[in-house]
Amino acid sequence: MPELVLELNGRTWTLDASRPYTLGRDPQGDIVLDDARVSWRHATVSWSGRSWVIEDHGSTNGTFVQGQRIHQLEIGPGSAVHLGNATDGPRVNVSGAAAAAAQAQPQQQPYAAQGANPGWAQQAPPQQQAPQAGWQQPQQAAPQQAGAHIPPQQGPGGGAGAPPVYGDRSPTTFHQFALGRVMRIGRALENDLVVSDLQVSRNHAEFHATPDGRMEIRDLGSHNGTYVNGQPIAKGGSQLLGPADIVGVGHSTFRIVGDRLEEFVDTGEVSFSARHLTVTVDGGKQILKDVSFGVPEKSLIAVIGPSGSGKSTLLKALTGYRPANQGDVLYDNRNLYKQFAELRQRIGLVPQDDILHKELTVKKALKYAAKLRFPSDTTAAERDARIDEVLRELKLDIHKEKKVTSLSGGQRKRVSVALELLTKPSLIFLDEPTSGLDPGMDRDVMQLLRGLADDGRTVLVVTHSVAELAICDKLLVMAPGGAVAYFGPPGEALNFFGYDTWADVFSAFENYRDYDWAGRWKGSQHYQMYAADIDAVAPQSVHMPPPQAMRPPKPQGWMSQFGTLVRRYVSVIASDKGFLALTVILPAVLGSVSLLIDAGKDLLPNAVSPQTGQPIPNGTATTVLLILAVGACFAGAANSVRELIKERVIYERERATGLSRSAYLMSKVFVLGVVTVLQGLMVGVIGFASREIPEEGLVLKSLPLLELSLPIMALGFTSMMFGLIISALVKTAEKTMPLLVMFAIIQVVFTGCLFALNGSIGVNQFSYLMPSRWAVGAAGATLDFNKISPPGKGESADPLWEHTIGAWSMDMAALIALGVICGIFVARFLRRHEPEVMRK
C-alpha cells in the first residue's frame, strides 16, 4: 500500500494507507486549512484498496480537479486539487513518498500566490475576533512577492481609515488594479474576476476608473443586483465609490484600498447579534423587552421559553419579517433592517409549517424553488447540480423521487431545510422544527442542525423540546413578557435557575410572573461573561439613500416568475387526483340539477294571455337560470377559497426572497380562471342544451347556446376572484367554509329571480355589487326576461334585462369589472403577508 504526500503552502503531509485523512477547517482534523472558502469538514483522502481517492463531503464551495467540481475521484502523483474555488482556492499538490523524499527542502511559497488569504493562518480563534469600535484598517493580505511589504494605502479608493468588512477579518483574496483597466465581475469564466456563486449573474458588474481618479461600480443588468453599503444601485446603473464604501455581489463583498480590490467571501463564518430589541403592539403593550445577545460564529443556538414569552416575535424581529420598534439586529456588524435588500439572500428561514408543496416530489419541489430563487441566466444543469449537492449533504438523495407528503415528519423538515440551503445562507433560523415529532425524530433533527453549524453556518432554533439542548453551543431562555432570563451554555442553565428540571423552571415562570427575571439575569455573573460586552462594538455607519431608492431587485423577471409559478401550480393540481375528479364532478352535478326543473321545457317567452293581453310568466326559465347561476358561483368560489390561506407560509417565505406579488397572484388567477371558465361552460351547456332557447343570439347571432353560457362562465370567474378575497382575509382554512356558504346564499338572494330588485331603493343599488345580478341580467337580456317574467303592477321593466345588445354588453362589462376590482383588493390584502421591512 503506497504512501501519498500532500503539499500545500510549503507544508507536506505523508499519508499512510491504513486510515483516512480529513481536510477542512476543523482544528481536530488531520489537515487543517484556515481558509474561509473551505468547509469545516471539507473532504477525505483515503486508500480504496486499489488507489487513493478524495471524496467531497457536501462542502459548501466544492472540491475541484482541472476546473471540474467532483464528488469522488481517484488521485495520484501529479494530481492537483483546488478546495473552495476552481481557480484560486487552496491548491493541494499530490506526489509519491519517494519523489517527496528526493526533493530539496522546499522554499516557502507565498500563500497569496495561490489566490488564498494569508491572514487566515495568523488570525486568532473566532472567540478572540470581536471587532473594535469604529473604523479600522483590516489585516493586510500578504504581498505578491515573498519578502515584499505593502504599506497601508491612501488614495481615492480607500485607505487606512476604511471600515471593517466582516468584523476584523482579512480579505479572502485581493486583486491588483492595472492603470485604466476595467475589472468585470461575474460567474462566467471570461470575466476578470470569476465568482463561483449561483446568486451572481454571468456578467454581473464592472469596476471603472473615472478621469478624476475615482472608482465607480457599474451594474451590467444583473438579476440579483449590485449593492453599495447594502443598498441596490439601479439595474444597469452606476455609482461612484468613496473610501468607506463596500460593494456587495452575491455572497462576496469588495472594497477598494489604494490600487487593489479586496474580496471578502461570506462562507458562513459570520457574527450575529441582537441589541436592545423591543416590540410594542397597539395599546403600548411590550411583547419583547430589551432583548440583547450575541451569537458566535458557526454555532447552534436554541431559544426556549413558556407560551407568551415572545419567541415567535423574537424570530420575526431577528429575520426582518417584523422589525423591532427599538433596537438593532447586526449581521457581522451590518444593520439587517437597513441593509435587508442585500442581506436577505444570506438568511434562511424554516417556518413551523412546511414551505413546500406536499403534492410534488422532493426533486421537483426543489427544482421550482431553485428556478424562482436563482438568476434567470443560470442553466438547468447548474440548478440540478446544486440541488443534488444539497440532497447529498442532507442524505435526502434516496428520497428525491418520493412525494413530500409520503415522507416522515423529520424527513419533511429536512426537505424544508434543503430548500433554504440552495442559496447557501450563512444564517439559518428554524421555528419549532421538532413540533409533533417523536423523540427519535427530535434527536435526528437536532443532530442535523448540529451538523449544519459544524459545517460553518450559524443556526438559531426556536423549540419547545428540551431533550437535546446539550448539543447546542448557547441557550437563550425567554421569560414571560418577552425578556431574557438567561443566555449562555446549556449545561449551566439549570444550575443558574437553581432547579433540577426544565419543568420546574417553567413552573417557576408561571408561578412567579411578576418576578424580575430579566433583572436577575443582568445582575448575574453569567451576564458579565456572556452578554455584558454586546455594546462594545459600534455598528457600521453608512449613508442611507431615501426609502424610494431601496426597492430590491428580483432574481427573475416578471414573465419568468409567472411562467414558473404557472407550471408549478399546474403540477400541483395534476398530482392531486381528488381535486381533478372534483373539478369535473362538481359542475356536472350542479348543471344536472337544473334538468330536474320541468325537464325539456323551453326557456322562451310564453304566449300572451287572451284575457289580459299580457305575456304569461315562464317560471321555468327564471328557476333554471337561478340554479345555474348559484352553481357557477359556488363552483368558482370553492375553487379558490382555500388557495391563498393554504400557501400563506410558502408565499411569505418566497416573497422575502424576491417573488413578485403580482406574478404570484396572476398565476393563481390564470390557472384557476381557466379551470373555472371551463366549469362554467360545462354548467351552461348542460343546463341550456336540452331546452328550447332562442334561435338567434343578441351578440353571437348564430351561437345562442354559447351566448347564454358566457355569463355563466364569467360569473364563475368573478366568483373565483371573490373566493380569493376570502382566502386572503381569513387567518385559518377552517374559516373559509362558513364564508363560502354565506357568499353563495347572498348570491341567491340578489339574482333578481326570487323577487323584483328593480325599483327597490337601496336593495337594488346594493345588488349591483353582486356578480350573480349581472350574470343573470346578461342571460336574461338574451332570453328577454322582461317578457318571460314581466313586471307586476306599478313595477317598471328591469333595465338589466332589456333585450338589446347594449344591455347585454353592459351586464358583461360590469361582471368583468367586479372581477378586476376583486383582483386589486386581493393584491392589497396579500401585502399584509409580506415581511414588514419590505413594506417599509
mmCIF file of all heavy atoms in Angstrom, residues 175-212:
data_model
loop_
_atom_site.group_PDB
_atom_site.id
_atom_site.type_symbol
_atom_site.label_atom_id
_atom_site.label_comp_id
_atom_site.label_asym_id
_atom_site.label_seq_id
_atom_site.Cartn_x
_atom_site.Cartn_y
_atom_site.Cartn_z
ATOM 1 N N HIS A 175 -7.114 41.542 -5.516
ATOM 2 C CA HIS A 175 -6.835 41.620 -6.945
ATOM 3 C C HIS A 175 -6.235 42.985 -7.237
ATOM 4 O O HIS A 175 -6.751 44.007 -6.779
ATOM 5 C CB HIS A 175 -8.121 41.411 -7.752
ATOM 6 C CG HIS A 175 -8.920 40.245 -7.294
ATOM 7 N ND1 HIS A 175 -8.725 38.967 -7.772
ATOM 8 C CD2 HIS A 175 -9.906 40.141 -6.349
ATOM 9 C CE1 HIS A 175 -9.577 38.140 -7.165
ATOM 10 N NE2 HIS A 175 -10.294 38.821 -6.299
ATOM 11 N N GLN A 176 -5.152 42.995 -8.005
ATOM 12 C CA GLN A 176 -4.447 44.240 -8.298
ATOM 13 C C GLN A 176 -5.093 44.940 -9.489
ATOM 14 O O GLN A 176 -5.428 44.308 -10.502
ATOM 15 C CB GLN A 176 -2.983 43.949 -8.611
ATOM 16 C CG GLN A 176 -2.081 45.152 -8.426
ATOM 17 C CD GLN A 176 -1.844 45.461 -6.945
ATOM 18 O OE1 GLN A 176 -1.950 44.583 -6.107
ATOM 19 N NE2 GLN A 176 -1.551 46.716 -6.657
ATOM 20 N N PHE A 177 -5.306 46.238 -9.355
ATOM 21 C CA PHE A 177 -5.837 47.030 -10.457
ATOM 22 C C PHE A 177 -4.702 47.470 -11.361
ATOM 23 O O PHE A 177 -3.707 48.017 -10.899
ATOM 24 C CB PHE A 177 -6.543 48.286 -9.936
ATOM 25 C CG PHE A 177 -7.992 48.072 -9.606
ATOM 26 C CD1 PHE A 177 -8.460 48.312 -8.332
ATOM 27 C CD2 PHE A 177 -8.884 47.642 -10.573
ATOM 28 C CE1 PHE A 177 -9.781 48.139 -8.016
ATOM 29 C CE2 PHE A 177 -10.216 47.453 -10.270
ATOM 30 C CZ PHE A 177 -10.669 47.703 -8.995
ATOM 31 N N ALA A 178 -4.862 47.253 -12.664
ATOM 32 C CA ALA A 178 -3.932 47.847 -13.632
ATOM 33 C C ALA A 178 -4.461 49.234 -13.998
ATOM 34 O O ALA A 178 -5.671 49.471 -13.995
ATOM 35 C CB ALA A 178 -3.827 46.978 -14.880
ATOM 36 N N LEU A 179 -3.551 50.162 -14.305
ATOM 37 C CA LEU A 179 -3.930 51.548 -14.558
ATOM 38 C C LEU A 179 -4.880 51.617 -15.748
ATOM 39 O O LEU A 179 -4.596 51.139 -16.838
ATOM 40 C CB LEU A 179 -2.670 52.388 -14.843
ATOM 41 C CG LEU A 179 -2.900 53.893 -14.937
ATOM 42 C CD1 LEU A 179 -3.445 54.425 -13.610
ATOM 43 C CD2 LEU A 179 -1.615 54.599 -15.324
ATOM 44 N N GLY A 180 -6.058 52.212 -15.529
ATOM 45 C CA GLY A 180 -7.034 52.388 -16.598
ATOM 46 C C GLY A 180 -7.781 51.139 -16.985
ATOM 47 O O GLY A 180 -8.592 51.156 -17.910
ATOM 48 N N ARG A 181 -7.544 50.055 -16.280
ATOM 49 C CA ARG A 181 -8.182 48.792 -16.658
ATOM 50 C C ARG A 181 -9.575 48.681 -16.059
ATOM 51 O O ARG A 181 -9.841 49.162 -14.964
ATOM 52 C CB ARG A 181 -7.333 47.627 -16.179
ATOM 53 C CG ARG A 181 -7.887 46.259 -16.544
ATOM 54 C CD ARG A 181 -7.051 45.163 -15.940
ATOM 55 N NE ARG A 181 -7.655 43.854 -16.130
ATOM 56 C CZ ARG A 181 -7.273 42.759 -15.508
ATOM 57 N NH1 ARG A 181 -6.276 42.828 -14.645
ATOM 58 N NH2 ARG A 181 -7.860 41.610 -15.741
ATOM 59 N N VAL A 182 -10.472 48.052 -16.797
ATOM 60 C CA VAL A 182 -11.816 47.745 -16.308
ATOM 61 C C VAL A 182 -11.810 46.327 -15.766
ATOM 62 O O VAL A 182 -11.285 45.406 -16.416
ATOM 63 C CB VAL A 182 -12.855 47.884 -17.442
ATOM 64 C CG1 VAL A 182 -14.232 47.418 -16.964
ATOM 65 C CG2 VAL A 182 -12.922 49.319 -17.941
ATOM 66 N N MET A 183 -12.328 46.140 -14.569
ATOM 67 C CA MET A 183 -12.383 44.807 -13.980
ATOM 68 C C MET A 183 -13.833 44.355 -13.937
ATOM 69 O O MET A 183 -14.668 44.957 -13.252
ATOM 70 C CB MET A 183 -11.780 44.794 -12.575
ATOM 71 C CG MET A 183 -11.793 43.410 -11.934
ATOM 72 S SD MET A 183 -10.874 43.349 -10.372
ATOM 73 C CE MET A 183 -9.194 43.408 -10.982
ATOM 74 N N ARG A 184 -14.131 43.309 -14.681
ATOM 75 C CA ARG A 184 -15.502 42.788 -14.755
ATOM 76 C C ARG A 184 -15.659 41.611 -13.792
ATOM 77 O O ARG A 184 -14.776 40.757 -13.689
ATOM 78 C CB ARG A 184 -15.831 42.357 -16.178
ATOM 79 C CG ARG A 184 -17.200 41.692 -16.318
ATOM 80 C CD ARG A 184 -17.565 41.416 -17.749
ATOM 81 N NE ARG A 184 -17.819 42.657 -18.482
ATOM 82 C CZ ARG A 184 -18.297 42.678 -19.723
ATOM 83 N NH1 ARG A 184 -18.535 41.561 -20.363
ATOM 84 N NH2 ARG A 184 -18.511 43.837 -20.329
ATOM 85 N N ILE A 185 -16.812 41.583 -13.125
ATOM 86 C CA ILE A 185 -17.123 40.547 -12.142
ATOM 87 C C ILE A 185 -18.323 39.752 -12.640
ATOM 88 O O ILE A 185 -19.296 40.317 -13.145
ATOM 89 C CB ILE A 185 -17.460 41.162 -10.768
ATOM 90 C CG1 ILE A 185 -16.314 42.036 -10.277
ATOM 91 C CG2 ILE A 185 -17.770 40.091 -9.745
ATOM 92 C CD1 ILE A 185 -16.656 42.823 -9.030
ATOM 93 N N GLY A 186 -18.275 38.440 -12.489
ATOM 94 C CA GLY A 186 -19.411 37.607 -12.871
ATOM 95 C C GLY A 186 -19.119 36.139 -12.693
ATOM 96 O O GLY A 186 -18.034 35.742 -12.267
ATOM 97 N N ARG A 187 -20.110 35.350 -13.038
ATOM 98 C CA ARG A 187 -19.998 33.897 -12.879
ATOM 99 C C ARG A 187 -19.317 33.232 -14.080
ATOM 100 O O ARG A 187 -18.762 32.147 -13.953
ATOM 101 C CB ARG A 187 -21.405 33.315 -12.683
ATOM 102 C CG ARG A 187 -21.450 31.993 -11.982
ATOM 103 C CD ARG A 187 -22.865 31.544 -11.678
ATOM 104 N NE ARG A 187 -23.593 31.138 -12.863
ATOM 105 C CZ ARG A 187 -24.620 31.792 -13.396
ATOM 106 N NH1 ARG A 187 -25.045 32.898 -12.832
ATOM 107 N NH2 ARG A 187 -25.230 31.363 -14.480
ATOM 108 N N ALA A 188 -19.386 33.865 -15.237
ATOM 109 C CA ALA A 188 -18.799 33.296 -16.443
ATOM 110 C C ALA A 188 -17.278 33.338 -16.373
ATOM 111 O O ALA A 188 -16.686 34.259 -15.803
ATOM 112 C CB ALA A 188 -19.293 34.044 -17.679
ATOM 113 N N LEU A 189 -16.642 32.373 -16.994
ATOM 114 C CA LEU A 189 -15.190 32.237 -16.905
ATOM 115 C C LEU A 189 -14.452 33.353 -17.632
ATOM 116 O O LEU A 189 -13.274 33.591 -17.361
ATOM 117 C CB LEU A 189 -14.773 30.875 -17.473
ATOM 118 C CG LEU A 189 -15.255 29.648 -16.693
ATOM 119 C CD1 LEU A 189 -14.818 28.365 -17.385
ATOM 120 C CD2 LEU A 189 -14.733 29.684 -15.262
ATOM 121 N N GLU A 190 -15.116 34.035 -18.570
ATOM 122 C CA GLU A 190 -14.412 35.096 -19.300
ATOM 123 C C GLU A 190 -14.287 36.382 -18.499
ATOM 124 O O GLU A 190 -13.647 37.337 -18.963
ATOM 125 C CB GLU A 190 -15.137 35.393 -20.631
ATOM 126 C CG GLU A 190 -16.547 35.921 -20.475
ATOM 127 C CD GLU A 190 -17.598 34.813 -20.538
ATOM 128 O OE1 GLU A 190 -17.217 33.637 -20.341
ATOM 129 O OE2 GLU A 190 -18.770 35.125 -20.792
ATOM 130 N N ASN A 191 -14.871 36.466 -17.323
ATOM 131 C CA ASN A 191 -14.756 37.665 -16.501
ATOM 132 C C ASN A 191 -13.354 37.792 -15.919
ATOM 133 O O ASN A 191 -12.637 36.799 -15.750
ATOM 134 C CB ASN A 191 -15.784 37.620 -15.364
ATOM 135 C CG ASN A 191 -17.199 37.837 -15.854
ATOM 136 O OD1 ASN A 191 -17.590 38.943 -16.191
ATOM 137 N ND2 ASN A 191 -17.971 36.758 -15.914
ATOM 138 N N ASP A 192 -12.958 39.024 -15.598
ATOM 139 C CA ASP A 192 -11.670 39.246 -14.946
ATOM 140 C C ASP A 192 -11.662 38.660 -13.541
ATOM 141 O O ASP A 192 -10.647 38.179 -13.061
ATOM 142 C CB ASP A 192 -11.370 40.756 -14.874
ATOM 143 C CG ASP A 192 -11.371 41.399 -16.248
ATOM 144 O OD1 ASP A 192 -10.528 41.016 -17.075
ATOM 145 O OD2 ASP A 192 -12.207 42.285 -16.490
ATOM 146 N N LEU A 193 -12.794 38.742 -12.869
ATOM 147 C CA LEU A 193 -12.903 38.208 -11.517
ATOM 148 C C LEU A 193 -14.094 37.245 -11.505
ATOM 149 O O LEU A 193 -15.248 37.666 -11.572
ATOM 150 C CB LEU A 193 -13.129 39.345 -10.508
ATOM 151 C CG LEU A 193 -12.770 39.074 -9.044
ATOM 152 C CD1 LEU A 193 -12.690 40.391 -8.289
ATOM 153 C CD2 LEU A 193 -13.768 38.165 -8.382
ATOM 154 N N VAL A 194 -13.807 35.958 -11.472
ATOM 155 C CA VAL A 194 -14.847 34.929 -11.535
ATOM 156 C C VAL A 194 -15.332 34.624 -10.122
ATOM 157 O O VAL A 194 -14.536 34.292 -9.240
ATOM 158 C CB VAL A 194 -14.323 33.646 -12.211
ATOM 159 C CG1 VAL A 194 -15.415 32.576 -12.240
ATOM 160 C CG2 VAL A 194 -13.846 33.959 -13.627
ATOM 161 N N VAL A 195 -16.636 34.770 -9.903
ATOM 162 C CA VAL A 195 -17.247 34.476 -8.618
ATOM 163 C C VAL A 195 -18.107 33.228 -8.775
ATOM 164 O O VAL A 195 -19.115 33.260 -9.474
ATOM 165 C CB VAL A 195 -18.105 35.660 -8.111
ATOM 166 C CG1 VAL A 195 -18.733 35.331 -6.763
ATOM 167 C CG2 VAL A 195 -17.257 36.915 -8.017
ATOM 168 N N SER A 196 -17.687 32.145 -8.159
ATOM 169 C CA SER A 196 -18.409 30.877 -8.288
ATOM 170 C C SER A 196 -19.597 30.863 -7.325
ATOM 171 O O SER A 196 -19.562 30.231 -6.275
ATOM 172 C CB SER A 196 -17.461 29.703 -7.992
ATOM 173 O OG SER A 196 -16.376 29.709 -8.871
ATOM 174 N N ASP A 197 -20.644 31.581 -7.715
ATOM 175 C CA ASP A 197 -21.813 31.743 -6.850
ATOM 176 C C ASP A 197 -23.031 31.864 -7.757
ATOM 177 O O ASP A 197 -23.102 32.766 -8.603
ATOM 178 C CB ASP A 197 -21.636 33.007 -5.990
ATOM 179 C CG ASP A 197 -22.795 33.239 -5.033
ATOM 180 O OD1 ASP A 197 -23.773 32.479 -5.080
ATOM 181 O OD2 ASP A 197 -22.711 34.195 -4.240
ATOM 182 N N LEU A 198 -24.001 30.968 -7.584
ATOM 183 C CA LEU A 198 -25.182 30.989 -8.435
ATOM 184 C C LEU A 198 -26.065 32.204 -8.187
ATOM 185 O O LEU A 198 -26.980 32.474 -8.966
ATOM 186 C CB LEU A 198 -26.009 29.710 -8.234
ATOM 187 C CG LEU A 198 -25.375 28.416 -8.757
ATOM 188 C CD1 LEU A 198 -26.323 27.246 -8.584
ATOM 189 C CD2 LEU A 198 -24.989 28.560 -10.230
ATOM 190 N N GLN A 199 -25.816 32.954 -7.129
ATOM 191 C CA GLN A 199 -26.561 34.184 -6.899
ATOM 192 C C GLN A 199 -26.029 35.322 -7.776
ATOM 193 O O GLN A 199 -26.650 36.381 -7.858
ATOM 194 C CB GLN A 199 -26.437 34.600 -5.421
ATOM 195 C CG GLN A 199 -27.063 33.612 -4.454
ATOM 196 C CD GLN A 199 -28.572 33.742 -4.399
ATOM 197 O OE1 GLN A 199 -29.252 33.724 -5.412
ATOM 198 N NE2 GLN A 199 -29.097 33.867 -3.213
ATOM 199 N N VAL A 200 -24.888 35.093 -8.404
ATOM 200 C CA VAL A 200 -24.241 36.111 -9.234
ATOM 201 C C VAL A 200 -24.558 35.832 -10.697
ATOM 202 O O VAL A 200 -24.543 34.680 -11.138
ATOM 203 C CB VAL A 200 -22.718 36.109 -8.999
ATOM 204 C CG1 VAL A 200 -22.021 37.105 -9.909
ATOM 205 C CG2 VAL A 200 -22.421 36.412 -7.537
ATOM 206 N N SER A 201 -24.858 36.882 -11.464
ATOM 207 C CA SER A 201 -25.150 36.729 -12.883
ATOM 208 C C SER A 201 -23.871 36.395 -13.644
ATOM 209 O O SER A 201 -22.755 36.596 -13.156
ATOM 210 C CB SER A 201 -25.781 38.005 -13.430
ATOM 211 O OG SER A 201 -27.009 38.271 -12.797
ATOM 212 N N ARG A 202 -24.040 35.924 -14.865
ATOM 213 C CA ARG A 202 -22.868 35.519 -15.657
ATOM 214 C C ARG A 202 -21.950 36.714 -15.894
ATOM 215 O O ARG A 202 -20.739 36.593 -15.797
ATOM 216 C CB ARG A 202 -23.313 34.897 -16.988
ATOM 217 C CG ARG A 202 -24.209 33.667 -16.818
ATOM 218 C CD ARG A 202 -24.416 32.956 -18.140
ATOM 219 N NE ARG A 202 -23.175 32.398 -18.642
ATOM 220 C CZ ARG A 202 -22.664 31.234 -18.255
ATOM 221 N NH1 ARG A 202 -23.286 30.509 -17.348
ATOM 222 N NH2 ARG A 202 -21.546 30.778 -18.760
ATOM 223 N N ASN A 203 -22.516 37.849 -16.239
ATOM 224 C CA ASN A 203 -21.758 39.105 -16.326
ATOM 225 C C ASN A 203 -22.484 40.096 -15.418
ATOM 226 O O ASN A 203 -23.524 40.641 -15.797
ATOM 227 C CB ASN A 203 -21.699 39.610 -17.767
ATOM 228 C CG ASN A 203 -20.941 38.652 -18.673
ATOM 229 O OD1 ASN A 203 -19.728 38.497 -18.555
ATOM 230 N ND2 ASN A 203 -21.659 37.999 -19.571
ATOM 231 N N HIS A 204 -21.942 40.312 -14.239
ATOM 232 C CA HIS A 204 -22.699 40.970 -13.177
ATOM 233 C C HIS A 204 -22.426 42.469 -13.073
ATOM 234 O O HIS A 204 -23.349 43.270 -13.097
ATOM 235 C CB HIS A 204 -22.374 40.291 -11.838
ATOM 236 C CG HIS A 204 -23.356 40.583 -10.754
ATOM 237 N ND1 HIS A 204 -24.303 39.664 -10.345
ATOM 238 C CD2 HIS A 204 -23.554 41.686 -9.998
ATOM 239 C CE1 HIS A 204 -25.042 40.197 -9.388
ATOM 240 N NE2 HIS A 204 -24.605 41.431 -9.152
ATOM 241 N N ALA A 205 -21.167 42.852 -12.943
ATOM 242 C CA ALA A 205 -20.838 44.266 -12.719
ATOM 243 C C ALA A 205 -19.412 44.529 -13.156
ATOM 244 O O ALA A 205 -18.646 43.606 -13.442
ATOM 245 C CB ALA A 205 -21.026 44.634 -11.242
ATOM 246 N N GLU A 206 -19.061 45.814 -13.211
ATOM 247 C CA GLU A 206 -17.705 46.223 -13.589
ATOM 248 C C GLU A 206 -17.230 47.346 -12.681
ATOM 249 O O GLU A 206 -18.009 48.227 -12.302
ATOM 250 C CB GLU A 206 -17.676 46.735 -15.045
ATOM 251 C CG GLU A 206 -17.851 45.669 -16.098
ATOM 252 C CD GLU A 206 -17.835 46.246 -17.500
ATOM 253 O OE1 GLU A 206 -18.047 47.489 -17.636
ATOM 254 O OE2 GLU A 206 -17.625 45.491 -18.447
ATOM 255 N N PHE A 207 -15.937 47.315 -12.369
ATOM 256 C CA PHE A 207 -15.281 48.449 -11.709
ATOM 257 C C PHE A 207 -14.603 49.295 -12.787
ATOM 258 O O PHE A 207 -13.881 48.770 -13.634
ATOM 259 C CB PHE A 207 -14.242 47.957 -10.701
ATOM 260 C CG PHE A 207 -14.823 47.443 -9.428
ATOM 261 C CD1 PHE A 207 -14.986 46.079 -9.226
ATOM 262 C CD2 PHE A 207 -15.223 48.305 -8.418
ATOM 263 C CE1 PHE A 207 -15.529 45.588 -8.054
ATOM 264 C CE2 PHE A 207 -15.766 47.834 -7.237
ATOM 265 C CZ PHE A 207 -15.922 46.470 -7.047
ATOM 266 N N HIS A 208 -14.842 50.606 -12.736
ATOM 267 C CA HIS A 208 -14.264 51.531 -13.714
ATOM 268 C C HIS A 208 -13.520 52.641 -12.989
ATOM 269 O O HIS A 208 -13.947 53.091 -11.923
ATOM 270 C CB HIS A 208 -15.361 52.173 -14.575
ATOM 271 C CG HIS A 208 -15.873 51.300 -15.661
ATOM 272 N ND1 HIS A 208 -15.531 51.439 -16.986
ATOM 273 C CD2 HIS A 208 -16.717 50.245 -15.608
ATOM 274 C CE1 HIS A 208 -16.140 50.531 -17.701
ATOM 275 N NE2 HIS A 208 -16.879 49.787 -16.887
ATOM 276 N N ALA A 209 -12.446 53.094 -13.586
ATOM 277 C CA ALA A 209 -11.720 54.267 -13.084
ATOM 278 C C ALA A 209 -12.218 55.493 -13.837
ATOM 279 O O ALA A 209 -12.276 55.500 -15.071
ATOM 280 C CB ALA A 209 -10.223 54.096 -13.273
ATOM 281 N N THR A 210 -12.608 56.524 -13.107
ATOM 282 C CA THR A 210 -13.085 57.755 -13.739
ATOM 283 C C THR A 210 -11.903 58.665 -14.053
ATOM 284 O O THR A 210 -10.812 58.497 -13.493
ATOM 285 C CB THR A 210 -14.068 58.489 -12.801
ATOM 286 O OG1 THR A 210 -13.374 58.828 -11.592
ATOM 287 C CG2 THR A 210 -15.255 57.605 -12.477
ATOM 288 N N PRO A 211 -12.069 59.651 -14.952
ATOM 289 C CA PRO A 211 -10.953 60.534 -15.309
ATOM 290 C C PRO A 211 -10.359 61.281 -14.116
ATOM 291 O O PRO A 211 -9.177 61.649 -14.146
ATOM 292 C CB PRO A 211 -11.588 61.512 -16.311
ATOM 293 C CG PRO A 211 -12.736 60.750 -16.897
ATOM 294 C CD PRO A 211 -13.259 59.901 -15.797
ATOM 295 N N ASP A 212 -11.155 61.532 -13.075
ATOM 296 C CA ASP A 212 -10.617 62.271 -11.924
ATOM 297 C C ASP A 212 -9.939 61.361 -10.912
ATOM 298 O O ASP A 212 -9.618 61.784 -9.804
ATOM 299 C CB ASP A 212 -11.728 63.074 -11.254
ATOM 300 C CG ASP A 212 -12.856 62.181 -10.739
ATOM 301 O OD1 ASP A 212 -12.777 60.939 -10.930
ATOM 302 O OD2 ASP A 212 -13.816 62.719 -10.155
#
